[in-house]
Amino acid sequence: MENIHHKRKRYSIKENSNMPQSNEPVNLRPEELDAWQLNGNEAHVMASFRFVQNDFQCFSDWSKQDMKIFWNFIKKLHNNSWRTVLAAGGKVAKTGLAPTIIPINKYPDGALRRAIENEYVMFEFRVDHVKRIHGFRRGPVFYICWLDKNHKICA
């Protein structure tokens, strides 16, 4: 049994608990675990939530179905190299995750925007036909900065 401490509460997780388990096979081969470490665009995308601006929108604004769609999107993102993901982008004939460069002035003004505006290119990924996430790339990592459930940032 594992003990987890959270905000002064102690939770116990039993190894054979009744928590739902996915029936999908889990691939823990070293080449899958280390795919983000490959060079350049051969590296698999790694998403980070480090800079999410939850004062604009946070996951509590998303329904359970929205979250299911989002986590399937994240799995798809992690299973692709940057080369594959970037090949699906552009303003015309978008496919798949459809990364699209977005001008920095489209984003809410604030400390994060000012910190990244001269350093990184901002772009969005299409989670589904309406939902988007916005952020920037550094190495293999895509830093998610804004959640955009209703595609309002570029409206």
Side-chain angles (χ1 to χ4, degrees):
M1 184 173 355
E2 179 181 356
N3 288 321
I4 298 175
H5 299 278
H6 184 266
K7 293 185 182 179
R8 298 188 192 132
K9 294 180 183 178
R10 183 179 220 147
Y11 298 94
S12 296
I13 298 175
K14 297 178 183 175
E15 287 192 28
N16 294 324
S17 70
N18 292 329
M19 293 176 67
Q21 298 292 317
S22 172
N23 290 328
E24 294 180 31
V26 176
N27 190 350
L28 296 179
R29 295 187 328 245
E31 60 269 18
E32 290 294 323
L33 292 172
D34 298 336
W36 66 274
Q37 295 181 35
L38 296 172
N39 292 324
N41 287 341
E42 297 308 316
H44 280 220
V45 179
M46 179 69 69
S48 171
F49 298 92
R50 181 173 182 189
F51 298 115
V52 171
Q53 302 300 288
N54 61 351
D55 54 342
F56 177 79
Q57 188 175 94
C58 61
F59 285 122
S60 63
D61 299 324
W62 293 41
S63 70
K64 185 175 181 177
Q65 183 61 30
D66 292 335
M67 291 305 300
K68 184 176 182 178
I69 292 166
F70 176 80
W71 289 118
N72 285 333
F73 161 82
I74 290 294
K75 285 180 191 176
K76 188 187 304 182
L77 192 64
H78 285 169
N79 286 327
N80 281 286
S81 70
W82 276 102
R83 180 175 312 290
T84 303
V85 168
L86 294 174
K91 286 283 186 188
V92 181
K94 295 182 195 178
T95 61
L97 304 169
T100 304
I101 293 174
I102 305 295
I104 193 72
N105 64 350
K106 293 282 190 178
Y107 295 100
D109 192 24
L112 179 66
R113 178 178 144 180
R114 288 188 300 275
I116 62 179
E117 66 186 341
N118 295 318
E119 298 293 323
Y120 299 101
V121 173
M122 295 295 297
F123 58 98
E124 69 177 10
F125 277 119
R126 180 173 53 193
V127 175
D128 70 6
H129 64 285
V130 176
K131 294 171 208 49
R132 305 291 189 269
I133 60 170
H134 298 259
F136 64 94
R137 175 187 180 184
R138 182 162 191 256
V141 181
F142 177 71
Y143 288 95
I144 300 169
C145 299
W146 285 277
L147 303 173
D148 192 8
K149 175 184 169 184
N150 299 311
H151 201 188
K152 290 184 177 181
I153 287 177
C154 293

